[in-house]
Amino acid sequence: MENFLHDPLFGLTLTIGAYALARGIQTRLPWLHPILSSSAIILIVLALVRFPIADFQGEVGLLTSLLGPATVALGVPIYKHRKLIRERLKTISVSVLAGSITGIVSAGLLVYVTRGSHEVLLSILPKSVSSPIGIEISRSLGGTPELSVMFSVVTGVLGGVLGPAFLYRLGLRDPVSFGLAMGSAAHGFGTARSLQESETAGSFSALGMGLSGIVTSLLFVPIYLWIG
């Protein structure tokens, strides 16, 4: 066991194994997102064997480096649906703008209701955009990037798990609207879930995720100028 822990592939093996197990669990518990359960498995194992988090992060660097190409690959289905995107351009614009504003306002209201600190407020405001964008927005505002990552992940997981059921309950079946809602509210997690619905939903979710990152950044420009 000790030798296995010193194996440079331990972190990679644990991550892949945890995700495979999580997908198996999802067949029994469809509501449980594999990202959520695999993260819990990994944390429990690391805590039990007392494996340093820093070493684990170094060992899974290969998987992290694949996030870039995977994100770029989302442009393929977007390109395939370019004609439909042009036809629904007005819907896309209104949906992304509304989603971006709602994400910021809901974050502020949550902090106000829970009486959170100013630091938490600045860190949670960009919760609905992907982590890389949220980190930069948080840093520019004077928030804590680490907190922003946590809020972004939690928002994405909750959106990926609860979002589809919520949208179905509202009677939202249109793949374009479904994808835009998931991408704008739950970024990468929402896009991954939308791709399970259909290629069209996944395409518009990826588009919504990218556009909401741009729109959210622009919405914070007045705040940047005020702080500066």
Side-chain angles (χ1 to χ4, degrees):
M1 180 66 177
E2 190 70 27
N3 292 333
F4 181 67
L5 291 178
H6 289 290
D7 191 313
L9 295 178
F10 169 72
L12 194 61
T13 303
L14 173 60
T15 302
I16 296 175
Y19 185 75
L21 179 59
R23 290 299 299 270
I25 295 174
Q26 191 184 28
T27 60
R28 298 290 186 89
L29 303 172
W31 55 269
L32 186 58
H33 198 288
I35 295 296
L36 185 62
S37 50
S38 61
S39 298
I41 293 171
I42 291 171
L43 289 173
I44 291 173
V45 172
L46 293 179
L48 290 176
V49 301
R50 297 182 180 179
F51 194 81
I53 295 294
D55 293 347
F56 173 77
Q57 291 176 329
E59 293 183 6
V60 297
L62 175 63
L63 292 177
T64 305
S65 66
L66 294 176
L67 288 175
T71 303
V72 173
L74 291 174
V76 175
I78 292 177
Y79 179 77
K80 290 174 63 176
H81 292 84
R82 61 190 182 281
K83 182 179 179 180
L84 183 57
I85 290 173
R86 285 196 295 267
E87 294 174 355
R88 304 289 292 270
L89 194 57
K90 184 177 180 180
T91 299
I92 294 170
S93 302
V94 173
S95 298
V96 171
L97 179 60
S100 300
I101 294 175
T102 301
I104 297 172
V105 173
S106 63
L109 289 176
L110 179 62
V111 175
Y112 176 77
V113 170
T114 58
R115 298 183 180 181
S117 66
H118 185 65
E119 180 184 7
V120 171
L121 173 64
L122 297 179
S123 302
I124 198 176
L125 285 177
K127 66 177 177 57
S128 295
V129 298
S130 57
S131 296
I133 298 176
I135 288 174
E136 294 305 319
I137 292 176
S138 174
R139 184 178 287 117
S140 299
L141 293 176
T144 304
E146 292 79 8
L147 278 178
S148 298
V149 171
M150 181 192 72
F151 289 131
S152 179
V153 171
V154 170
T155 299
V157 170
L158 290 178
V161 173
L162 303 177
F166 177 72
L167 295 177
Y168 290 152
R169 182 64 64 87
L170 293 178
L172 191 63
R173 302 287 179 176
D174 175 34
V176 173
S177 301
F178 182 96
L180 288 173
M182 292 292 287
S184 299
H187 45 83
F189 292 93
T191 299
R193 180 63 180 82
S194 297
L195 285 168
Q196 295 178 5
E197 294 293 315
S198 68
E199 185 183 70
T200 301
S203 300
F204 279 85
S205 183
L207 181 63
M209 176 180 66
L211 291 178
S212 65
I214 297 173
V215 171
T216 299
S217 299
L218 293 176
L219 290 174
F220 277 109
V221 169
I223 302 178
Y224 296 150
L225 296 177
W226 179 68
I227 293 177

